[in-house]
């Protein structure tokens, strides 16, 4: 992740790219990941990871499945990628 300064607040913010998320998914030891696993791997919040996963899903690059009360697993759609 890179860090940029927010123009309004002057604080540094980390930016998480879609490419970084896809790369982390490809490098994961399991074929499926959770937002929490990605957040730990990418040193970001679970919400930031989840938002990027949703964007990738909306673009048709990854798939998802709800597997529990609130748990969602994500994987790369090799046909689309």
């Amino acid at each position: 992740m890179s860090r940029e300064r927010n123009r309004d607040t002057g604080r540094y913010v980390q930016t998480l790219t879609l490419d970084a998320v896809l790369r982390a998914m490809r490098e994961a030891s399991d074929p499926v990941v959770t937002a929490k696993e990605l957040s730990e791997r990418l040193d970001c919040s679970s919400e930031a990871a989840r938002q990027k996963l949703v964007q990738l899903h909306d673009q048709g690059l990854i798939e998802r499945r709800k597997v529990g009360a609130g748990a969602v697993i994500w994987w790369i759609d090799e046909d689309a990628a």
Side-chain angles (χ1 to χ4, degrees):
M1 260 186 313
S2 63
R3 290 174 54 109
E4 296 177 3
R5 190 177 292 267
N6 181 300
R7 290 183 184 180
D8 296 330
T9 65
R11 295 181 182 168
Y12 282 101
V13 294
Q14 293 183 332
T15 56
L16 179 61
T17 66
L18 297 177
D19 286 338
V21 172
L22 281 173
R23 190 174 328 108
M25 290 179 76
R26 285 191 175 98
E27 293 171 354
S29 58
D30 293 321
V32 298
V33 298
T34 64
K36 180 162 177 47
E37 290 170 335
L38 278 179
S39 72
E40 292 169 356
R41 184 177 194 98
L42 296 168
D43 192 28
C44 66
S45 69
S46 293
E47 181 59 19
R50 189 194 67 75
Q51 289 176 7
K52 294 301 179 181
L53 289 165
V54 168
Q55 288 177 3
L56 289 166
H57 181 264
D58 289 346
Q59 292 177 11
L61 298 174
I62 65 173
E63 296 294 326
R64 68 179 172 196
R65 177 175 293 143
K66 190 171 182 179
V67 293
V72 177
I73 57 171
W74 306 83
W75 65 93
I76 296 174
D77 182 350
E78 295 300 337
D79 294 332

